């Protein structure tokens, strides 16, 4: 398909984080963009404010007439859309170009120098660090992010079209549509078992992704993963390694050993060793691309983060409120490590909303272990996302496995009351469901209280 011949791009599920980045991109390069989503959100509001028309009813009659031109319209949909969706079926039945989000990303990036970030954890933060430091160093790139960058208040960084920076998403094997020049794999922990069945199939898909790298391309892998490539790690003998870590005024100060030199006194402001690892691999990919290291070290210090990735909502002497998207036991462990490193003496209250019945079932023991580490825990009902309930799997089932005696199962409507009943200094909201919609209400109540 020649994208130059496409005039209109219609998105089914336009409010998704990956879909909305593509919508912004096509709008920015002069295409006419419109779409459907199930619910109105901050993301759809921002798209509408930029001039993109969106409707929230699944009805062909709501589609603007110009998008019914079969020869000039491309239709992009997300795998989260149900098969019985009437608009999707209309386009499929009437001969339109209808492709998945991952396929369009493959088409956009195939004629660019592509840097792709893969892994079960850390993709969004790593991609946004990489996009930011390369933009600051004036690389002519487009970066598609899986979250809203604090530096740009967007999930798209647009600075040219010669280089693309993308998340290589293992969900639904989407990343196999990409053919990167430089790729990294941050982690290969079991996840998405509702798609893969078992962990061995997930690992096989990462091996297949490795084979998609272009001839003479490069793979960077976290030290210890079972794939050959340029290695990176923290305080070890990797090709790229963080050394001499200190914390000064809540900021990491460290050195980086590269294959050819030692970079001294770098600064990075996101807490947690997992974020330090994300910064390292982003730096390593930029070095392998050819960006001069003195420019990169300055750019890294100016990185602010991604919304809902260890985002400080309140940070005072008396109270700290942090919100994070963590929805896998390893991610919860990383959040816990970061909080304990920054606030070793303070009591921590975590409010967690499990995401997916299948994930809760598959990792029940691991979730219980990771959640037991906090001083107090408030557990919400499972957010179903794309799933129907599974018999016997509930938040009460998970709560019973958690060893921490200071635990409660609560409704969303009681979050603020329960926080006020606690004397914890550190408040965490954690999860990938609609708990994110509660954050501003909690912040407002806590600011008023304090």
């Amino acid at each position: 398909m020649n994208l130059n011949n496409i005039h209109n791009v219609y998105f089914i599920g336009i409010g998704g984080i990956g879909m909305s980045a593509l919508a912004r991109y096509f709008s920015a390069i002069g295409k006419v963009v419109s779409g459907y989503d199930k619910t109105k959100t901050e993301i759809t509001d921002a798209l509408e404010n930029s001039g993109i028309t969106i409707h929230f009813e699944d009805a062909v009659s709501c589609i603007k007439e110009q998008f019914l031109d079969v020869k000039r319209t491309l239709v992009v949909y997300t795998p989260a859309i149900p098969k019985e969706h009437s608009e999707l079926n209309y386009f499929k039945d009437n001969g339109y170009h209808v492709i998945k989000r991952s396929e369009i990303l493959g088409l956009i990036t195939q004629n660019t120098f592509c840097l792709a970030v893969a892994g079960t954890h850390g993709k969004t933060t790593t991609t946004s660090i990489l996009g930011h430091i390369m933009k600051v160093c004036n690389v002519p790139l487009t970066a598609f992010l899986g979250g809203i960058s604090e530096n740009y208040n967007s999930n798209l960084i647009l600075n040219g079209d010669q280089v693309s920076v993308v998340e290589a998403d293992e969900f639904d094997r989407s990343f196999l549509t990409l053919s990167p020049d430089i790729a990294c794999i941050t982690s290969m922990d079991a996840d998405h078992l509702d798609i893969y069945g078992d962990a061995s199939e997930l690992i096989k898909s990462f091996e297949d992704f490795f084979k998609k790298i272009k001839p003479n391309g490069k793979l960077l892998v976290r030290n210890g993963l079972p794939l050959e490539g340029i290695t990176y790690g923290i305080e070890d003998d990797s090709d790229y390694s963080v050394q001499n870590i200190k914390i000064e005024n809540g900021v990491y100060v460290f050195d980086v050993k590269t294959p050819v030199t030692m970079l001294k006194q770098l600064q990075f402001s996101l807490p947690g060793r997992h974020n330090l690892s994300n910064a390292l691999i982003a730096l390593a990919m930029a070095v392998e691309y050819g960006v001069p290291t003195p420019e990169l070290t300055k750019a890294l210090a100016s990185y602010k983060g991604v919304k809902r990735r260890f985002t400080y909502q309140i940070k005072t002497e008396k109270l700290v409120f942090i919100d994070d998207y963590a929805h896998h036991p390893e991610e919860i462990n990383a959040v816990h490590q970061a909080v304990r490193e920054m606030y070793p003496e303070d009591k921590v209250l975590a409010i967690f909303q499990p995401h997916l019945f299948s994930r809760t079932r598959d990792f029940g023991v691991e979730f219980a272990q990771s959640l037991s580490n906090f001083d107090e825990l408030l557990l919400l009902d499972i957010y179903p996302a794309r799933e129907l309930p599974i018999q016997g799997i509930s938040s009460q089932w998970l709560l019973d496995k958690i060893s921490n005696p200071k635990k409660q199962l609560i409704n969303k409507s009681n979050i603020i009351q329960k926080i006020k009943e606690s004397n914890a200094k550190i408040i965490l909201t954690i999860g990938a469901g609609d708990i994110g919609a509660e954050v501003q209400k909690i912040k407002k109540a806590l600011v008023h209280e304090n």
Side-chain angles (χ1 to χ4, degrees):
M1 183 193 305
N2 186 345
L3 291 177
N4 293 326
N5 297 335
I6 297 296
H7 185 261
N8 310 311
V9 189
Y10 188 84
F11 289 87
I12 304 177
I14 196 168
I17 196 70
M19 292 282 277
S20 58
L22 286 166
R24 292 180 202 273
Y25 168 76
F26 279 113
S27 180
I29 64 169
K31 308 296 184 186
V32 182
V33 176
S34 181
Y36 155 87
D37 208 280
K38 189 177 179 182
T39 51
K40 203 170 175 63
T41 63
E42 283 184 28
I43 289 176
T44 59
D45 287 348
L47 291 175
E48 288 182 301
N49 290 338
S50 72
I52 294 171
T53 58
I54 302 172
H55 63 266
F56 302 92
E57 181 187 351
D58 174 19
V60 175
S61 60
C62 293
I63 302 168
K64 284 193 163 185
E65 188 174 342
Q66 74 184 94
F67 292 91
L68 300 177
D69 182 341
V70 69
K71 291 182 179 174
R72 303 184 77 199
T73 300
L74 171 68
V75 179
V76 183
Y77 72 100
T78 168
I81 293 293
K83 289 184 172 60
E84 64 274 13
H85 195 275
S86 60
E87 291 184 18
L88 178 60
N89 285 308
Y90 170 82
F91 287 121
K92 282 183 172 179
D93 294 343
N94 286 281
Y96 287 78
H97 278 303
V98 181
I99 62 177
K100 284 185 184 177
R101 177 186 68 86
S102 57
E103 294 173 271
I104 192 66
L105 205 51
L107 282 170
I108 291 168
T109 59
Q110 68 183 5
N111 295 318
T112 68
F113 190 100
C114 179
L115 295 95
V117 177
T120 44
H121 319 300
K123 287 188 296 293
T124 297
T125 301
T126 302
T127 308
S128 73
I129 298 169
L130 180 58
H132 170 69
I133 61 180
M134 291 182 75
K135 181 186 184 297
V136 170
C137 296
N138 210 29
V139 174
L141 65 77
T142 301
F144 298 91
L145 313 179
I148 304 298
S149 161
E150 297 278 11
N151 288 83
Y152 306 98
N153 196 32
S154 177
N155 51 358
L156 180 73
I157 302 173
L158 200 53
N159 194 48
D161 59 5
Q162 294 175 33
V163 176
S164 55
V165 173
V166 297
E167 286 191 36
D169 191 358
E170 75 282 358
F171 174 73
D172 201 28
R173 296 177 173 85
S174 294
F175 58 2
L176 300 183
T177 63
L178 300 171
S179 299
D181 295 88
I182 299 175
C184 79
I185 297 177
T186 64
S187 49
M188 287 163 50
D189 294 312
D191 199 4
H192 304 303
L193 299 185
D194 56 324
I195 302 292
Y196 285 98
D198 63 56
S200 64
E201 283 298 308
L202 179 70
I203 290 168
K204 183 180 179 299
S205 75
F206 278 103
E207 292 167 348
D208 291 340
F209 171 68
F210 168 58
K211 294 170 188 170
K212 300 288 289 184
I213 297 172
K214 288 174 187 167
N216 303 315
K218 299 175 181 178
L219 176 68
L220 294 89
V221 295
R222 184 168 56 80
N223 200 357
L225 293 180
L227 285 171
E228 290 292 317
I230 300 165
T231 57
Y232 74 97
I234 294 182
E235 295 177 327
D236 61 12
D237 60 353
S238 300
D239 299 311
Y240 286 86
S241 177
V242 170
Q243 307 283 349
N244 306 320
I245 302 166
K246 301 187 289 289
I247 297 175
E248 296 178 2
N249 300 318
V251 173
Y252 282 121
V253 181
F254 55 96
D255 302 333
V256 170
K257 177 184 77 69
T258 79
V260 296
T261 189
M262 179 75 86
L263 308 177
K264 294 280 192 179
Q265 295 288 291
L266 280 73
Q267 293 189 14
F268 187 66
S269 59
L270 264 64
R273 293 293 177 104
H274 62 300
N275 281 322
L276 203 51
S277 179
N278 295 335
L280 174 63
I281 185 54
L283 190 80
M285 291 179 80
V287 170
E288 293 295 328
Y289 171 77
V291 180
T293 51
E295 295 178 34
L296 283 174
T297 56
K298 288 180 191 169
L300 190 64
S302 66
Y303 177 75
K304 295 178 184 175
V306 178
K307 288 183 180 176
R308 297 219 67 223
R309 297 325 193 266
F310 211 93
T311 302
Y312 282 100
Q313 299 292 334
I314 300 172
K315 192 177 185 181
T316 68
E317 286 296 316
K318 292 200 303 181
L319 182 70
V320 175
F321 173 28
I322 297 162
D323 177 47
D324 195 278
Y325 186 75
H327 54 283
H328 184 281
E330 287 301 319
E331 294 167 350
I332 295 169
N333 286 335
V335 170
H336 177 259
Q337 182 274 323
V339 168
R340 293 298 185 199
E341 188 173 49
M342 291 296 163
Y343 305 100
E345 305 300 325
D346 295 309
K347 184 183 283 189
V348 181
L349 166 65
I351 302 118
F352 177 59
Q353 182 188 48
H355 185 264
L356 296 178
F357 292 98
S358 60
R359 184 182 282 123
T360 306
R361 175 198 63 199
D362 294 340
F363 302 104
V365 171
E366 292 86 350
F367 273 123
Q369 290 170 344
S370 62
L371 293 168
S372 294
N373 290 325
F374 298 103
D375 298 305
E376 297 178 28
L377 176 71
L378 301 176
L379 189 65
L380 300 175
D381 285 334
I382 297 170
Y383 183 77
R386 55 187 179 268
E387 292 184 337
L388 294 172
I390 296 173
Q391 188 172 359
I393 305 302
S394 65
S395 285
Q396 183 63 56
W397 173 84
L398 177 59
L399 190 79
D400 291 343
K401 294 180 180 298
I402 294 168
S403 61
N404 185 343
K406 293 194 171 180
K407 59 181 181 179
Q408 289 183 66
L409 182 60
I410 67 164
N411 294 320
K412 275 191 296 185
S413 58
N414 294 333
I415 292 175
I416 291 168
Q417 176 197 330
K418 293 297 180 182
I419 290 173
K420 289 180 178 178
E421 289 173 8
S422 169
N423 64 351
K425 177 184 170 180
I426 316 298
I427 311 298
L428 292 174
T429 45
I430 311 171
D434 60 3
I435 188 172
E438 302 298 313
V439 170
Q440 289 308 311
K441 299 176 199 170
I442 297 168
K443 180 178 179 178
K444 188 176 178 183
L446 294 181
V447 167
H448 180 73
E449 185 82 1
N450 287 273

